[in-house]
Amino acid sequence: MIKIDKVNKYYNKGKANQIHVINNTSMTLPDEGIVCLLGPSGCGKTTLLNAIGGLDKVDSGTITIDGQRITRFSSNKIDSIRNARIGYIFQNFNLLDDRTVFENVAIALRMIGIRDNTTVTARVRYCLEKVGIDQYRNKLAGSLSGGQRQRVAIARAIVKNPSIIIADEPTGNLDSANTLEIMNIIKTISKERLVILVTHERNIAEFYSDHVAEMKDGKIVKAYNNDSSRFLDYQLENKIYLRDMAVHKGFRQDDVNVDVYSDEERQADIKVVIRGNNLYINTGGRLNVVDESANIEMVDEHYTAMDESYFEENDFDYTACLPSKYKARYTSVYRLSNMISSGWKTVKGFKRIRKFLLLGFVFAAMFAFLAVSNVMGVIDVKPVDYRTTNGNYITIPNTAKTEDLLKLVDGLETVAFVLPGETKKMVTLPMDDYLQTSYAQEDLGVSIVLTSVLTPEQLVAGSMPADPHEVVIDKALIDEFLRDKNGLYIGLDTMEEFLGRRLMVPNLDDYRIVGISDTESPSMFVDQSQAMYILSNGNDLDDDFSIMGVGEEEDTEDLIRSGRVMDLDLSKNNIKIKKGRKPEAAYEVILNEYHEDEVEIGKTVNVKVAGRKLNVVGYYTSDAADDDTYYVHADTVKADYIGKQKNFSAYAPDVALLKSILEKEGLSFKVNDTRDRKTYINSRKDQLTSSIIVAGIIMLISLIEMFLMLRSSFLSRIKEVGTLRAIGLKKKDIYRMFTGEILVITFITAIPGIAIMYFALTQMVTITYYIEGMYIVTPVIAAITFAIILVFNLLAGLIPVFSTMRKTPAQILARTDI
């Protein structure tokens, strides 16, 4: 039983154009029969019908179905009730035009939990046969006539055996013949079910209905049982009752008989020709000729009003082909298992123009990948991009320029070694492999590191050094050299070809590359005995990273770097002591024998190293006639180098631990890796900003394009969404339906788009290193791009769905902007 108690509903409530469309209405409806709502247009019939059927909400009052108050439940609960108990027949049919007749009816069965294909087929065909439309079950619903479409709508409403049928103007768009046939079917259904019918045809209502409720201005002004004898004075448009015609004339000659019926006396000049099986009629253009193909039936009798016998012979088995003891219960139509397949079927059925528009998604995916690759490329700062020294160095200021602070730090826990000054130096790679390239060379900016901290696991080629003049250089140096293609003309184009090659430092014997490491830094690993020589004789790479202030007094002449003062053990000449002894301590020097008369042993020469004059301890002879070098002890070279440095470098395997210790000691410092990274980022700040802005714009345009296309696709299907909601499909299934389609669209467009751009960028990266520095082209970036597109597509595609799902089914069906 349905009970309506003091129901009110407004349109534009609280506004100047407020309409009180249902005005404090109350009524009780029986369990079976036809209840007809009558009244003029705009009196609130359809609105009240939608409220009873759960298609629309009310502002106040209650509506209960078998004791369940549907005006208070959530939309999800209301959907469950109306799906199981209510069937809907609409004036505009509301079929899914791109699906077959069978599919339109079967979906109602599947929503109440019947999934067995045999049962579904049997029940659907039974209902289609009862409404006379089974022969069209495999035709698309959109290809049927109005009367046929309404029969399909009735079959869909009754297939799930509901206890209530809501019929809103079911004959409003039909001719008289189809009107009676449809009403006969509805009357048959109402024998054991409740049908609530809205119509504006009073004669139809009084003939078929069991109860009538007349409405005016949102109120029921009259309600009564329709118990009178039933006759319907309703002449069908396609039937001509010959005996009711005013004029009848006959012409007979031999075996030709012609009967002419007319509603009044008319003058007619008619020529009739029979040739073969064809009949030719000429009325001189005064009359239109209509033959039997126009569905006109001539009845040789008088018209009589129809009585109850017209529909009483029809029958309908409500439970035919349904499982025994079956209880209707809402079941999701779009499960996770079939979302993709259903979405693929929908996308596959797109019209050609919509399939063509999918190319827009492909291009959007291409540019989305380009944007993501660019953003990740400019924000992804790798150690090899910014490191100017080995990543394990910490630079510490040495304002006193003495060895005391160096010795203090060298003795700290986790410090492997310390070197005075910065470790960045320039070494020369000779490329004199051929006569034509005898003067060719390339300078490499290296960071000096002792081989004592190098492990075999860090080698990617070659071997560990076994001689003081054997070195290991890092792969980062070689990669940069190979990118610049500076060695192509001598065939130096692979990492392995660096093994065995020479490196030169001014005033020193050559060094040989025996191994290649991978520490993501421009490191050159050298023997401890050679480190100070390379640091003091090698050309500085730059002075940009000094942590000391300016204004410190420096020597005006670097005698050691120029080769004027040199460690005796590094002499390339055959040196022999003629008088005195070799230098054995700092600031001791031996001079060429031709200075013997100028400076005595024990005296100082007027040459300062590290601010101190050198003390003469002997004289030497040399194979080089012009050798005027001041040969000193190695400590002199070291003291001189330390005296010129504003800071020193400490190597620590655990940089974080050394940092903590230095903080506890109160010493100032800078972590080289942090310093270099910050400097690198600052130098690229403008480039980073502009790249991110451009990439963001590209990404935004791509995503807006996707949003507009998805929104357009959804809006074109508002009618379908409204229909599915009206017949009982829950909101979650609408979301799943569109989610499946979005997933399919994303897969078939994003993957090709990303793949195309992936290939294009890969080819460009091989052409120029600039592209490699600005873009990251990896499967991970492709996966990130796909995830971004998928998430955005889901949001963009489901936002309009969410907005629409906030409306009631009646509001969705009533949209006029689509």
Side-chain angles (χ1 to χ4, degrees), residues 79-230:
D79 288 342
S80 296
I81 295 173
R82 66 191 187 86
N83 182 270
R85 300 188 182 186
I86 303 174
Y88 300 88
I89 306 171
F90 303 96
Q91 177 181 358
N92 295 324
F93 321 125
N94 289 334
L95 301 180
L96 304 174
D97 291 339
D98 58 347
R99 304 190 193 183
T100 65
V101 168
F102 183 90
E103 290 170 338
N104 269 271
V105 180
I107 190 173
L109 270 185
R110 296 191 175 101
M111 281 193 291
I112 59 170
I114 299 178
R115 295 179 177 174
D116 178 68
N117 289 333
T118 302
T119 303
V120 170
T121 301
R123 177 64 178 178
V124 171
R125 292 202 60 182
Y126 172 79
C127 293
L128 291 176
E129 287 172 358
K130 283 300 180 179
V131 298
I133 202 74
D134 181 58
Q135 64 272 31
Y136 300 114
R137 63 184 178 276
N138 293 322
K139 293 190 67 174
L140 293 178
S143 66
L144 303 181
S145 66
Q148 292 169 336
R149 288 161 66 81
Q150 194 60 288
R151 291 169 190 263
V152 176
I154 294 173
R156 181 182 63 191
I158 64 177
V159 71
K160 59 184 179 180
N161 190 24
S163 57
I164 302 166
I165 302 292
I166 299 293
D168 183 16
E169 298 272 11
T171 61
N173 290 329
L174 305 179
D175 58 27
S176 57
N178 278 309
T179 293
L180 293 182
E181 292 178 6
I182 295 301
M183 286 305 302
N184 285 343
I185 296 171
I186 293 175
K187 184 63 180 179
T188 301
I189 297 168
S190 71
K191 291 178 181 179
E192 297 181 22
R193 297 291 184 270
L194 172 62
V195 177
I196 308 174
L197 174 74
V198 166
T199 183
H200 63 279
E201 297 183 82
R202 179 173 290 274
N203 55 348
I204 291 291
E206 292 178 346
F207 182 62
Y208 285 100
S209 63
D210 299 290
H211 311 276
V212 176
E214 297 189 19
M215 294 188 66
K216 183 178 181 181
D217 298 331
K219 296 182 179 181
I220 295 179
V221 295
K222 184 178 180 182
Y224 54 90
N225 294 328
N226 189 30
D227 295 327
S228 61
S229 297
R230 296 178 180 175

Side-chain angles (χ1 to χ4, degrees), residues 116-388:
D116 178 68
N117 289 333
T118 302
T119 303
V120 170
T121 301
R123 177 64 178 178
V124 171
R125 292 202 60 182
Y126 172 79
C127 293
L128 291 176
E129 287 172 358
K130 283 300 180 179
V131 298
I133 202 74
D134 181 58
Q135 64 272 31
Y136 300 114
R137 63 184 178 276
N138 293 322
K139 293 190 67 174
L140 293 178
S143 66
L144 303 181
S145 66
Q148 292 169 336
R149 288 161 66 81
Q150 194 60 288
R151 291 169 190 263
V152 176
I154 294 173
R156 181 182 63 191
I158 64 177
V159 71
K160 59 184 179 180
N161 190 24
S163 57
I164 302 166
I165 302 292
I166 299 293
D168 183 16
E169 298 272 11
T171 61
N173 290 329
L174 305 179
D175 58 27
S176 57
N178 278 309
T179 293
L180 293 182
E181 292 178 6
I182 295 301
M183 286 305 302
N184 285 343
I185 296 171
I186 293 175
K187 184 63 180 179
T188 301
I189 297 168
S190 71
K191 291 178 181 179
E192 297 181 22
R193 297 291 184 270
L194 172 62
V195 177
I196 308 174
L197 174 74
V198 166
T199 183
H200 63 279
E201 297 183 82
R202 179 173 290 274
N203 55 348
I204 291 291
E206 292 178 346
F207 182 62
Y208 285 100
S209 63
D210 299 290
H211 311 276
V212 176
E214 297 189 19
M215 294 188 66
K216 183 178 181 181
D217 298 331
K219 296 182 179 181
I220 295 179
V221 295
K222 184 178 180 182
Y224 54 90
N225 294 328
N226 189 30
D227 295 327
S228 61
S229 297
R230 296 178 180 175
F231 291 94
L232 178 61
D233 187 9
Y234 195 87
Q235 186 166 340
L236 299 178
E237 297 171 355
N238 67 328
K239 287 189 176 182
I240 300 176
Y241 294 90
L242 299 180
R243 296 190 181 185
D244 290 336
M245 302 297 286
V247 179
H248 175 211
K249 296 179 181 180
F251 303 92
R252 292 169 178 79
Q253 186 173 350
D254 298 330
D255 55 353
V256 176
N257 297 324
V258 177
D259 288 292
V260 178
Y261 296 88
S262 177
D263 54 354
E264 61 183 17
E265 289 287 348
R266 296 175 183 271
Q267 181 179 357
D269 182 10
I270 302 173
K271 295 182 178 63
V272 178
V273 177
I274 299 176
R275 186 167 68 179
N277 291 325
N278 295 322
L279 175 66
Y280 302 90
I281 301 176
N282 186 349
T283 66
R286 297 178 63 184
L287 301 172
N288 295 322
V289 179
V290 180
D291 62 15
E292 63 271 16
S293 65
N295 196 28
I296 299 297
E297 182 181 355
M298 298 181 185
V299 183
D300 190 15
E301 57 186 51
H302 291 285
Y303 167 77
T304 58
M306 292 174 281
D307 58 17
E308 294 182 10
S309 63
Y310 186 71
F311 54 74
E312 285 184 343
E313 296 179 357
N314 299 327
D315 66 325
F316 180 75
D317 186 349
Y318 299 95
T319 61
C321 305
L322 287 175
S324 60
K325 299 181 181 180
Y326 174 75
K327 185 177 181 180
R329 183 177 181 181
Y330 184 85
T331 303
S332 179
V333 176
Y334 294 96
R335 305 176 303 281
L336 294 177
S337 59
N338 69 348
M339 279 170 50
I340 299 295
S341 60
S342 178
W344 169 251
K345 185 177 180 181
T346 300
V347 174
K348 188 177 179 181
F350 280 176
K351 294 182 179 179
R352 183 175 299 178
I353 183 63
R354 293 188 68 185
K355 288 182 178 178
F356 179 77
L357 290 176
L358 291 179
L359 289 175
F361 284 87
V362 176
F363 285 111
M366 291 172 59
F367 289 112
F369 179 73
L370 179 69
V372 173
S373 176
N374 187 208
V375 170
M376 298 303 292
V378 296
I379 67 175
D380 177 55
V381 180
K382 299 182 288 293
V384 293
D385 294 330
Y386 63 81
R387 281 180 179 167
T388 62

Side-chain angles (χ1 to χ4, degrees), residues 719-738:
K719 180 179 179 293
E720 176 186 357
V721 172
T723 295
L724 291 171
R725 288 286 293 129
I727 65 176
L729 197 69
K730 288 189 176 182
K731 294 179 181 179
K732 64 180 181 181
D733 269 345
I734 299 294
Y735 289 124
R736 287 176 178 176
M737 177 180 74
F738 280 98

Side-chain angles (χ1 to χ4, degrees), residues 374-512:
N374 187 208
V375 170
M376 298 303 292
V378 296
I379 67 175
D380 177 55
V381 180
K382 299 182 288 293
V384 293
D385 294 330
Y386 63 81
R387 281 180 179 167
T388 62
T389 67
N390 186 282
N392 291 86
Y393 275 127
I394 287 182
T395 299
I396 302 168
N398 184 14
T399 55
K401 299 183 180 181
T402 67
E403 294 187 53
D404 295 339
L405 186 58
L406 275 75
K407 292 177 179 179
L408 172 65
V409 174
D410 197 16
L412 294 176
E413 181 184 359
T414 198
V415 174
F417 62 85
V418 295
L419 294 175
E422 283 283 352
T423 63
K424 298 180 292 182
K425 291 295 175 180
M426 194 77 75
V427 298
T428 301
L429 174 70
M431 294 189 290
D432 53 357
D433 299 48
Y434 306 100
L435 179 63
Q436 297 89 333
T437 64
S438 56
Y439 294 101
Q441 61 184 31
E442 182 73 18
D443 290 331
L444 302 178
V446 302
S447 174
I448 304 301
V449 188
L450 301 187
T451 54
S452 58
V453 298
L454 181 66
T455 63
E457 290 75 20
Q458 291 175 304
L459 293 181
V460 293
S463 60
M464 295 287 286
D467 181 88
H469 277 262
E470 292 181 345
V471 299
V472 171
I473 65 172
D474 201 81
K475 180 175 177 290
L477 291 165
I478 297 175
D479 287 342
E480 183 177 3
F481 179 89
L482 295 177
R483 279 196 299 267
D484 294 337
K485 298 180 171 50
N486 292 330
L488 289 180
Y489 55 89
I490 63 168
L492 186 56
D493 55 3
T494 65
M495 181 175 66
E496 289 72 16
E497 290 172 351
F498 277 78
L499 295 175
R501 298 195 70 89
R502 295 179 298 126
L503 290 177
M504 297 190 305
V505 178
N507 305 317
L508 304 179
D509 290 336
D510 292 346
Y511 295 89
R512 189 168 66 90

Side-chain angles (χ1 to χ4, degrees), residues 637-648:
V637 175
K638 183 177 181 181
D640 175 73
Y641 188 73
I642 293 174
K644 291 182 171 63
Q645 305 309 310
K646 303 173 184 178
N647 47 61
F648 62 92

Side-chain angles (χ1 to χ4, degrees), residues 63-89:
I63 300 175
T64 59
I65 299 177
D66 295 335
Q68 291 185 297
R69 184 176 175 179
I70 66 171
T71 48
R72 175 167 291 182
F73 286 141
S74 66
S75 61
N76 185 64
K77 181 64 176 178
I78 294 173
D79 288 342
S80 296
I81 295 173
R82 66 191 187 86
N83 182 270
R85 300 188 182 186
I86 303 174
Y88 300 88
I89 306 171

